[in-house]
Amino acid sequence: MRTLTLATCCTAAALLLACSNADEKAPEIPFAPHGSGYAEKPDFAQLEYQHPLSVEDLYKITPKNLAKLDQERVDQIYARLSAGPIPDGPYEGDLFFPNGESGKLRLSEIAGGGLRGLLVNVAGKKLDLIGEILWKGKVFFRNERVLRNRIEDLSILKKAGLIEETPDNPLTKITVNGRDQWLLFPAKLYCGQSLLDSRRESIIIDYAFTDEIPGYHPMPDKMAGRDGFAVRDEIRMIRPGLYLGRAYIDRAFVVNFVLYNEVHDKAGKEAFMKTGTVQEDCWSGTQQRRTIVAKAG
C-alpha cells in the first residue's frame, strides 16, 4: 500500500469550495481577436509577443472559470504557457467544455460501435463511464515517470464487469486524505511535442503502452491503451499547482481538462509572484515564454 501524507495531498473539498460559485465569470485577461475560420485565428508567436500574460493574469484563472471561455480562448491560454515541472503526488481533475456548456464526454459515440483490437464487447454506458474516470483525480509518480488514475468507488466498475484482479496481480491501493482509493489506468509521463503548439514541449500523459507498466490490469486498463482509445493527454502549467490539459483520442482532440493541487498552489505562490518562473523539465523552445511580473515598489 502507498500512503500519501496530508502535506502532499490536494483536497477535493477545497477545490469544490473554491470553484462552487455558479456566477463566476470568465477571467479578464488579454486575448487576441479571432474569428471562426482557420485564417482568422492568431499566430501563437505573435499572440505571445503582443499579449503576454502577467502573473496577476495567471492567478485570475481558476479551474472553474476556464469553462466560461470559448475554445479559441482556451487554446490561446494554453499556447502562452510552458510545461513547467512534471507534477508529483495527487491532483484533483475534471474535464470541461467551452462556453460553460454542460454535458458528458460520450466515448460510446467516439468509438463508433467498437474499439480497435479490443476482444470484448463493451456497451456504450460502460464506455462513457471510462470517459468520466480518465480525466478525474490522478496521482503523478514523478521519479518513476508514471501516472495513475484514482478510483474511489470500485463498485460501479465491478458492476459493469470492468475489473479484472488476480491473486498474483492485485489492485494497487493508496490513502489520500484518509480515504482509500485504487489506482487504475497507468500512463507514461514524458516531455514531447504539443499537438496544438509545436513551439515548445508539453508534459505528455501517454496511455499507448499502458501494458508495459507494472500493475497493469487488462480490464479496464486496456481500454485507454493502443488497443482501445489510444488516449494521449498533454498538459502545461498555468501556475504552481494548476495545469491545463488537452485530451486526444487517436490524435484527435476531444476535451479540455484541469488538474489542481491546492497545497502546491499555496506553497509556490510567493516565489512565482515575484519571478514568474519555475523549474522547466521540458524543452522551452526557441521562442521563450513571456511572463510579466509586477515591478516592486
Side-chain angles (χ1 to χ4, degrees):
M1 177 187 295
R2 297 178 186 263
T3 300
L4 301 176
T5 63
L6 182 61
T8 61
C9 291
C10 57
T11 309
L15 175 60
L16 292 173
L17 181 62
C19 303
S20 61
N21 186 355
D23 297 325
E24 191 166 6
K25 297 180 180 179
E28 295 183 358
I29 59 178
F31 294 100
H34 65 88
S36 57
Y38 180 80
E40 299 173 284
K41 298 183 184 298
D43 174 79
F44 286 150
Q46 187 176 28
L47 163 71
E48 194 160 36
Y49 178 77
Q50 295 180 339
H51 305 282
L53 293 173
S54 68
V55 290
E56 288 83 2
D57 291 330
L58 296 173
Y59 277 96
K60 293 176 183 178
I61 299 172
T62 71
K64 197 69 173 180
N65 66 20
L66 278 167
K68 303 294 185 180
L69 300 170
D70 62 29
Q71 188 61 53
E72 171 62 29
R73 290 191 168 190
V74 175
D75 292 350
Q76 286 192 26
I77 291 177
Y78 188 87
R80 286 177 286 178
L81 304 176
S82 59
I86 293 176
D88 196 25
Y91 276 69
E92 302 299 328
D94 205 358
L95 56 82
F96 71 91
F97 299 88
N99 291 325
E101 297 173 5
S102 60
K104 293 184 178 181
L105 177 66
R106 299 200 177 279
L107 293 193
S108 55
E109 296 177 3
I110 296 172
L115 293 178
R116 179 186 64 255
L118 202 59
L119 301 179
V120 293
N121 183 21
V122 182
K125 289 183 179 180
K126 296 180 182 180
L127 297 183
D128 295 337
L129 176 61
I130 298 300
E132 288 295 302
I133 290 172
L134 277 174
W135 293 286
K136 296 291 185 179
K138 303 179 184 298
V139 180
F140 291 83
F141 299 94
R142 174 186 165 86
N143 292 338
E144 301 172 23
R145 291 299 191 265
V146 168
L147 171 142
R148 300 177 191 273
N149 287 269
R150 293 160 41 197
I151 314 298
E152 189 163 323
D153 185 0
L154 277 184
S155 62
I156 300 176
L157 289 174
K158 287 183 176 179
K159 288 179 181 178
L162 296 177
I163 294 293
E164 289 183 3
E165 183 179 17
T166 60
D168 59 340
N169 187 23
L171 297 179
T172 304
K173 191 176 182 180
I174 63 170
T175 300
V176 179
N177 285 340
R179 304 192 310 272
D180 288 340
Q181 299 182 343
W182 287 263
L183 299 179
L184 292 170
F185 298 106
K188 292 187 176 182
L189 285 175
Y190 57 86
C191 296
Q193 187 179 54
S194 166
L195 296 180
L196 176 69
D197 172 29
S198 61
R199 296 174 305 135
R200 60 179 69 105
E201 289 185 328
S202 295
I203 299 166
I204 308 301
I205 303 171
D206 191 351
Y207 296 84
F209 296 95
T210 182
D211 55 317
E212 298 179 355
I213 301 174
Y216 167 78
H217 293 80
M219 286 298 290
D221 296 344
K222 179 188 288 188
M223 300 181 73
R226 61 187 181 278
D227 291 328
F229 287 111
V231 176
R232 179 191 185 274
D233 299 336
E234 58 177 75
I235 61 174
R236 286 180 176 176
M237 190 200 78
I238 296 173
R239 60 177 186 266
L242 179 60
Y243 289 77
L244 174 59
R246 298 173 55 81
Y248 293 83
I249 290 179
D250 246 359
R251 300 179 70 84
F253 174 68
V254 291
V255 74
N256 309 287
F257 65 97
V258 288
L259 297 171
Y260 182 68
N261 181 304
E262 184 186 27
V263 172
H264 293 329
D265 189 3
K266 290 182 177 179
K269 183 173 183 178
E270 183 177 358
F272 189 66
M273 288 289 290
K274 290 180 179 178
T275 67
T277 61
V278 293
Q279 171 186 331
E280 293 286 353
D281 287 339
C282 301
W283 180 62
S284 57
T286 56
Q287 297 177 358
Q288 296 296 310
R289 172 186 177 184
R290 296 184 65 205
T291 303
I292 307 301
V293 179
K295 296 181 179 180

